[in-house]
Each structure stands twice: as structure tokens, then as C-alpha cells.
Amino acid sequence: MRLRVEFTTEPFDLDEAPAHAVVAREIVTGAQLDAVDVGPFGNTAEGDADRVLGAVDALLRRSLAAGATRVSLQVNVIGEGRQAGPAHGEGDAT
């Protein structure tokens, strides 16, 4: 399974990247993920589920330790293995 993670860390500083943002970016760029895109207000990365989830764990722990007061993230399943609807046996029980 492949995942895409989108995240931001706060508080923002428009003059200089705060330590928590630098740490978060170092984690995703060093995690052997695909399609890493870092920017001042949002970051995305894609890759194998295990690598993405490992990076998310490290990102949360280390960016909070570096002073982040909020981390917003979204994780989506992409690519192979994705089905158009709920898997058999999942969904509405009505």
C-alpha cells in the first residue's frame, strides 16, 4: 500500500524557519520517501506505507520536542491496492 501525507507544523514564523519545521522537513527528506515537496505553509510526501508511517511517528515526536505547538496532518491511501468503495464486509450495516 502507498500513502501520501500532508502536514504543517505551528507556530509559523515568516522571517525564519522555526526549529520544529526544520526537524519535520529533515525527517521527510531523509526517510526515503517519494515525491517529497516541502514549502513554508505545507509539506507532502508519498511512499510505502511502512516508511510513511515511520516518518509520521518520528515527525510528530521530534517536531513536538523541538517546540511545535500544533501539527496538522492528513494521510491518504494512494495508488496500488486502493479500491473504489468500501472493502467487502465494510461500510453501512443496514
Side-chain angles (χ1 to χ4, degrees), residues 12-60:
F12 296 116
D13 183 341
L14 298 178
D15 295 326
E16 181 178 324
H20 58 81
V22 172
V23 165
R25 290 177 187 147
E26 287 174 351
I27 290 166
V28 294
T29 57
Q32 298 178 340
L33 300 175
D34 307 324
V36 175
D37 183 24
V38 295
F41 298 109
N43 309 280
T44 61
E46 298 177 7
D48 172 76
D50 288 335
R51 287 188 179 166
V52 170
L53 294 173
V56 166
D57 178 60
L59 183 148
L60 290 170

